[in-house]
PDB file of all heavy atoms in Angstrom:
ATOM      1  N   ILE A  40       6.210 -23.600 -45.753  1.00 94.00           N
ATOM      2  CA  ILE A  40       4.989 -22.788 -45.700  1.00 94.00           C
ATOM      3  C   ILE A  40       5.052 -21.859 -44.497  1.00 94.00           C
ATOM      4  O   ILE A  40       4.722 -20.686 -44.567  1.00 94.00           O
ATOM      5  CB  ILE A  40       3.736 -23.689 -45.601  1.00 94.00           C
ATOM      6  CG1 ILE A  40       3.488 -24.360 -46.935  1.00 94.00           C
ATOM      7  CG2 ILE A  40       2.516 -22.876 -45.190  1.00 94.00           C
ATOM      8  CD1 ILE A  40       2.284 -25.253 -46.946  1.00 94.00           C
ATOM      9  N   PHE A  41       5.552 -22.411 -43.376  1.00 94.00           N
ATOM     10  CA  PHE A  41       5.610 -21.615 -42.153  1.00 94.00           C
ATOM     11  C   PHE A  41       6.618 -20.473 -42.288  1.00 94.00           C
ATOM     12  O   PHE A  41       6.415 -19.395 -41.753  1.00 94.00           O
ATOM     13  CB  PHE A  41       5.953 -22.505 -40.958  1.00 94.00           C
ATOM     14  CG  PHE A  41       5.697 -21.836 -39.643  1.00 94.00           C
ATOM     15  CD1 PHE A  41       4.401 -21.560 -39.239  1.00 94.00           C
ATOM     16  CD2 PHE A  41       6.735 -21.462 -38.824  1.00 94.00           C
ATOM     17  CE1 PHE A  41       4.141 -20.929 -38.035  1.00 94.00           C
ATOM     18  CE2 PHE A  41       6.495 -20.831 -37.608  1.00 94.00           C
ATOM     19  CZ  PHE A  41       5.195 -20.566 -37.229  1.00 94.00           C
ATOM     20  N   ILE A  42       7.726 -20.722 -43.011  1.00 92.00           N
ATOM     21  CA  ILE A  42       8.699 -19.641 -43.231  1.00 92.00           C
ATOM     22  C   ILE A  42       8.029 -18.492 -43.991  1.00 92.00           C
ATOM     23  O   ILE A  42       8.234 -17.323 -43.690  1.00 92.00           O
ATOM     24  CB  ILE A  42       9.928 -20.150 -44.019  1.00 92.00           C
ATOM     25  CG1 ILE A  42      10.723 -21.125 -43.157  1.00 92.00           C
ATOM     26  CG2 ILE A  42      10.831 -18.996 -44.429  1.00 92.00           C
ATOM     27  CD1 ILE A  42      11.880 -21.773 -43.865  1.00 92.00           C
ATOM     28  N   MET A  43       7.179 -18.858 -44.958  1.00 91.00           N
ATOM     29  CA  MET A  43       6.523 -17.825 -45.767  1.00 91.00           C
ATOM     30  C   MET A  43       5.507 -17.006 -44.952  1.00 91.00           C
ATOM     31  O   MET A  43       5.118 -15.920 -45.345  1.00 91.00           O
ATOM     32  CB  MET A  43       5.783 -18.451 -46.955  1.00 91.00           C
ATOM     33  CG  MET A  43       6.683 -19.175 -47.913  1.00 91.00           C
ATOM     34  SD  MET A  43       8.018 -18.108 -48.460  1.00 91.00           S
ATOM     35  CE  MET A  43       9.016 -19.275 -49.351  1.00 91.00           C
ATOM     36  N   MET A  44       5.075 -17.571 -43.806  1.00 87.00           N
ATOM     37  CA  MET A  44       4.074 -16.863 -42.995  1.00 87.00           C
ATOM     38  C   MET A  44       4.722 -15.849 -42.055  1.00 87.00           C
ATOM     39  O   MET A  44       4.122 -15.477 -41.062  1.00 87.00           O
ATOM     40  CB  MET A  44       3.314 -17.860 -42.117  1.00 87.00           C
ATOM     41  CG  MET A  44       2.332 -18.725 -42.843  1.00 87.00           C
ATOM     42  SD  MET A  44       1.761 -20.046 -41.763  1.00 87.00           S
ATOM     43  CE  MET A  44       1.036 -19.156 -40.418  1.00 87.00           C
ATOM     44  N   ASN A  45       5.970 -15.434 -42.348  1.00 81.00           N
ATOM     45  CA  ASN A  45       6.797 -14.769 -41.330  1.00 81.00           C
ATOM     46  C   ASN A  45       6.067 -13.746 -40.450  1.00 81.00           C
ATOM     47  O   ASN A  45       5.441 -12.827 -40.934  1.00 81.00           O
ATOM     48  CB  ASN A  45       8.028 -14.121 -41.976  1.00 81.00           C
ATOM     49  CG  ASN A  45       7.638 -13.199 -43.104  1.00 81.00           C
ATOM     50  OD1 ASN A  45       6.458 -12.978 -43.340  1.00 81.00           O
ATOM     51  ND2 ASN A  45       8.627 -12.670 -43.791  1.00 81.00           N
ATOM     52  N   MET A  46       6.221 -13.969 -39.152  1.00 74.00           N
ATOM     53  CA  MET A  46       5.547 -13.105 -38.174  1.00 74.00           C
ATOM     54  C   MET A  46       6.628 -12.360 -37.409  1.00 74.00           C
ATOM     55  O   MET A  46       7.035 -12.765 -36.333  1.00 74.00           O
ATOM     56  CB  MET A  46       4.727 -13.958 -37.222  1.00 74.00           C
ATOM     57  CG  MET A  46       3.801 -14.838 -37.991  1.00 74.00           C
ATOM     58  SD  MET A  46       2.716 -15.773 -36.961  1.00 74.00           S
ATOM     59  CE  MET A  46       2.015 -16.871 -38.165  1.00 74.00           C
ATOM     60  N   TYR A  47       7.123 -11.283 -37.991  1.00 73.00           N
ATOM     61  CA  TYR A  47       8.240 -10.569 -37.394  1.00 73.00           C
ATOM     62  C   TYR A  47       7.794  -9.497 -36.433  1.00 73.00           C
ATOM     63  O   TYR A  47       8.304  -8.403 -36.466  1.00 73.00           O
ATOM     64  CB  TYR A  47       9.068  -9.875 -38.482  1.00 73.00           C
ATOM     65  CG  TYR A  47       9.847 -10.810 -39.336  1.00 73.00           C
ATOM     66  CD1 TYR A  47      10.292 -10.421 -40.583  1.00 73.00           C
ATOM     67  CD2 TYR A  47      10.163 -12.083 -38.877  1.00 73.00           C
ATOM     68  CE1 TYR A  47      11.016 -11.279 -41.373  1.00 73.00           C
ATOM     69  CE2 TYR A  47      10.892 -12.945 -39.668  1.00 73.00           C
ATOM     70  CZ  TYR A  47      11.315 -12.535 -40.909  1.00 73.00           C
ATOM     71  OH  TYR A  47      12.040 -13.375 -41.691  1.00 73.00           O
ATOM     72  N   THR A  48       6.765  -9.718 -35.648  1.00 80.00           N
ATOM     73  CA  THR A  48       6.376  -8.624 -34.777  1.00 80.00           C
ATOM     74  C   THR A  48       6.488  -9.021 -33.338  1.00 80.00           C
ATOM     75  O   THR A  48       6.472 -10.197 -33.000  1.00 80.00           O
ATOM     76  CB  THR A  48       4.922  -8.205 -35.002  1.00 80.00           C
ATOM     77  OG1 THR A  48       4.121  -9.347 -34.809  1.00 80.00           O
ATOM     78  CG2 THR A  48       4.707  -7.644 -36.370  1.00 80.00           C
ATOM     79  N   ASN A  49       6.542  -7.993 -32.510  1.00 80.00           N
ATOM     80  CA  ASN A  49       6.608  -8.215 -31.087  1.00 80.00           C
ATOM     81  C   ASN A  49       5.216  -8.545 -30.556  1.00 80.00           C
ATOM     82  O   ASN A  49       5.067  -8.999 -29.439  1.00 80.00           O
ATOM     83  CB  ASN A  49       7.133  -6.918 -30.474  1.00 80.00           C
ATOM     84  CG  ASN A  49       7.284  -7.022 -29.003  1.00 80.00           C
ATOM     85  OD1 ASN A  49       7.277  -8.127 -28.468  1.00 80.00           O
ATOM     86  ND2 ASN A  49       7.397  -5.908 -28.338  1.00 80.00           N
ATOM     87  N   TYR A  50       4.176  -8.290 -31.365  1.00 85.00           N
ATOM     88  CA  TYR A  50       2.798  -8.501 -30.911  1.00 85.00           C
ATOM     89  C   TYR A  50       2.296  -9.837 -31.399  1.00 85.00           C
ATOM     90  O   TYR A  50       2.795 -10.380 -32.381  1.00 85.00           O
ATOM     91  CB  TYR A  50       1.895  -7.380 -31.448  1.00 85.00           C
ATOM     92  CG  TYR A  50       2.379  -6.035 -31.030  1.00 85.00           C
ATOM     93  CD1 TYR A  50       3.006  -5.197 -31.937  1.00 85.00           C
ATOM     94  CD2 TYR A  50       2.256  -5.610 -29.711  1.00 85.00           C
ATOM     95  CE1 TYR A  50       3.490  -3.960 -31.541  1.00 85.00           C
ATOM     96  CE2 TYR A  50       2.728  -4.383 -29.308  1.00 85.00           C
ATOM     97  CZ  TYR A  50       3.349  -3.565 -30.227  1.00 85.00           C
ATOM     98  OH  TYR A  50       3.826  -2.352 -29.823  1.00 85.00           O
ATOM     99  N   PHE A  51       1.272 -10.356 -30.723  1.00 87.00           N
ATOM    100  CA  PHE A  51       0.672 -11.609 -31.176  1.00 87.00           C
ATOM    101  C   PHE A  51      -0.061 -11.372 -32.488  1.00 87.00           C
ATOM    102  O   PHE A  51      -0.804 -10.414 -32.633  1.00 87.00           O
ATOM    103  CB  PHE A  51      -0.318 -12.121 -30.135  1.00 87.00           C
ATOM    104  CG  PHE A  51       0.341 -12.888 -29.043  1.00 87.00           C
ATOM    105  CD1 PHE A  51       0.651 -12.284 -27.836  1.00 87.00           C
ATOM    106  CD2 PHE A  51       0.673 -14.216 -29.225  1.00 87.00           C
ATOM    107  CE1 PHE A  51       1.272 -12.995 -26.823  1.00 87.00           C
ATOM    108  CE2 PHE A  51       1.284 -14.937 -28.212  1.00 87.00           C
ATOM    109  CZ  PHE A  51       1.589 -14.323 -27.021  1.00 87.00           C
TER     110      PHE A  51
END
Side-chain angles (χ1 to χ4, degrees):
I40 287 180
F41 194 68
I42 292 175
M43 298 306 172
M44 287 169 60
N45 54 5
M46 306 185 190
Y47 289 159
T48 57
N49 181 16
Y50 303 106
F51 277 98

